[in-house]
Structures are given as C-alpha cells and as structure tokens.
Amino acid sequence: MRFQELENKLQNHPIFTVQDIRKVAPDFYRPRLSEWQEKGYIKKLRRGYYMFADIRLTEERLFLIANRLYAPSYVSLEMALSWYGLIPESVYTVTSVTSKKTKSFATPIAHFSYRSVKPELLFGYHLHSYGEQKYKLAEVEKAVLDYLYLQPKMSDREAFAGLRFNRARFQEQADRDKLFTYAKQFANQRLHQRLDVLLDYLDS
C-alpha cells in the first residue's frame, strides 16, 4: 500500500495503530512505518501509536489523541480547568484521568500525563464532537474534584490564591448541587474538607 492511499483511508483517525491499518490493508508490511517515519510522513507517539505528520493540531485534536493514546481516560485536571477558564496560566501538558496506572508520554507533539483513580471514579465527563470523532472531557465540577483529589497540597486559601482560581467563571459554570453529589461518590473526607476551603475562598 502506498502512503497516500493509507492516508486517504485513515483520514478521520487523529491517531492510528497497526491494527487500524490492517483493517483497511490486511497484508500491510509493517517495516513501512519506519520508512515513513524517516521520510517525515508520520510521527510515532508511543510504541504502536502513530499520527500523520501533516495534521493540523488544535486543542480538541490533542484531546482526541489523549483519549486514544492511553485508554480508558478522559481529559481533566489542569488542562480541563484551563479549557473552562478557571485558571489563567497556559497548560503545556495534556492532563487526563485514567483507571489504569499513572503514566506519562513525551511525544513529538505534546506531553501527555495520566493520573490514576479507582475505576468507579471514571465518571463525570461529556462526549464532545470534533468532526466525525468524539472526545471525553471532564465536566467543570468533575475537573475541580479530580484536581482536589489528586492534589492534596491544595488544602488552604493561600494555595488557591496562588492558583488564581477565577471566581466569576466558576460561579457562571459550576453547578454546586452536582459538585456535592459527585464529591460524595469519592467517599473521601479530606476531599470534602478541601472542597469546603475552596468554596469558602471563592465566596469571600
């Protein structure tokens, strides 16, 4: 199979594997991947995962890639907080939550980080459409709780002041009833304490 033919067949795949290739070309000769890497046609993201080098990267496409690169997972934590405008700083790592072990990947296009939670905490995300694909992004409430749960140092007003949490954006977007409902599912008293401190800080 020629490269252009493969690219046409997998044009809706922001990231693909050898298994994806063999669905459209069962007799694919795997060493071609190394040849195409050397020619700059494709980029290797991690073992067995590739993307076409000429794809235009957007945040949403990076979210799609993050979901597929290490599954099951959804984008959350600092990246989601930044996406919703709750923190002002640019985030240069695509942060996600997974039920698998904590992992990170330094790739040619971005750094992808995955923090582990119990499988029963893999909830609270929306499926967003991007072209013909869908990606999983934490809801505002779940992104906040994931962050508090996985960042125990965020336990006092000074810490939240340093994060420069956007009060107005939080009040506009967050559903407090949902926030407390989701928080109960963590069954973690220290999380509830950190949440109380954050809400007290945002309301002051």
Side-chain angles (χ1 to χ4, degrees), residues 50-82:
Y50 305 85
M51 66 174 287
F52 296 114
D54 59 356
I55 286 179
R56 185 177 67 86
L57 289 174
T58 63
E59 281 190 309
E60 291 178 292
R61 193 178 291 276
L62 286 173
F63 295 171
L64 279 167
I65 292 171
N67 284 183
R68 182 83 193 279
L69 194 63
Y70 198 58
S73 66
Y74 61 89
V75 175
S76 187
L77 305 169
E78 292 91 342
M79 178 57 76
L81 295 178
S82 176

Side-chain angles (χ1 to χ4, degrees), residues 11 24 41 71 99 106 108-109 134 167 193 195:
Q11 60 181 317
V24 298
Y41 296 166
S99 57
I109 60 169
K134 292 184 182 295
R167 289 178 169 86
Q193 292 170 354
L195 178 58

Side-chain angles (χ1 to χ4, degrees), residues 129-165:
S129 295
Y130 184 73
E132 297 181 10
Q133 306 290 315
K134 292 184 182 295
Y135 63 86
K136 292 179 283 188
L137 173 67
E139 298 172 67
V140 171
E141 299 81 5
K142 189 57 163 43
V144 170
L145 291 170
D146 285 341
Y147 185 77
L148 294 177
Y149 181 66
L150 293 168
Q151 295 288 347
K153 65 181 180 181
M154 303 302 295
S155 59
D156 55 44
R157 295 173 63 90
E158 289 74 22
F160 292 119
L163 191 62
R164 293 195 292 163
F165 227 89

Side-chain angles (χ1 to χ4, degrees), residues 18-197:
V18 174
Q19 289 71 30
D20 293 323
I21 296 174
R22 289 197 167 132
K23 288 178 183 177
V24 298
D27 58 348
F28 178 72
Y29 183 55
R30 187 166 183 160
R32 278 288 180 86
L33 290 171
S34 296
E35 175 189 332
W36 290 340
Q37 276 183 258
E38 292 174 2
K39 291 183 176 179
Y41 296 166
I42 63 174
K43 295 178 179 179
K44 182 178 179 179
L45 301 181
R46 58 169 289 206
R47 184 176 180 181
Y49 290 81
Y50 305 85
M51 66 174 287
F52 296 114
D54 59 356
I55 286 179
R56 185 177 67 86
L57 289 174
T58 63
E59 281 190 309
E60 291 178 292
R61 193 178 291 276
L62 286 173
F63 295 171
L64 279 167
I65 292 171
N67 284 183
R68 182 83 193 279
L69 194 63
Y70 198 58
S73 66
Y74 61 89
V75 175
S76 187
L77 305 169
E78 292 91 342
M79 178 57 76
L81 295 178
S82 176
W83 175 261
Y84 290 121
L86 296 183
I87 57 175
E89 281 77 13
S90 297
V91 176
Y92 299 103
T93 296
V94 184
T95 53
S96 300
V97 165
T98 180
S99 57
K100 296 169 72 173
K101 67 179 182 179
T102 293
K103 198 86 171 176
S104 64
F105 303 98
T107 79
I109 60 169
H111 189 270
F112 296 87
S113 173
Y114 301 82
R115 297 290 303 277
S116 180
V117 298
K118 295 177 291 186
E120 56 266 34
L121 295 180
L122 222 64
F123 70 91
Y125 54 80
H126 281 312
L127 279 174
H128 296 262
S129 295
Y130 184 73
E132 297 181 10
Q133 306 290 315
K134 292 184 182 295
Y135 63 86
K136 292 179 283 188
L137 173 67
E139 298 172 67
V140 171
E141 299 81 5
K142 189 57 163 43
V144 170
L145 291 170
D146 285 341
Y147 185 77
L148 294 177
Y149 181 66
L150 293 168
Q151 295 288 347
K153 65 181 180 181
M154 303 302 295
S155 59
D156 55 44
R157 295 173 63 90
E158 289 74 22
F160 292 119
L163 191 62
R164 293 195 292 163
F165 227 89
N166 189 313
R167 289 178 169 86
R169 294 299 294 270
F170 179 85
Q171 307 293 3
E172 290 170 4
Q173 299 180 76
D175 180 327
R176 295 205 179 196
D177 288 338
K178 182 185 288 187
L179 193 64
F180 290 124
T181 298
Y182 282 0
K184 288 179 182 178
Q185 297 185 55
F186 282 79
N188 185 292
Q189 186 59 37
R190 291 184 178 179
L191 170 65
H192 284 274
Q193 292 170 354
R194 290 194 285 273
L195 178 58
D196 287 342
V197 174

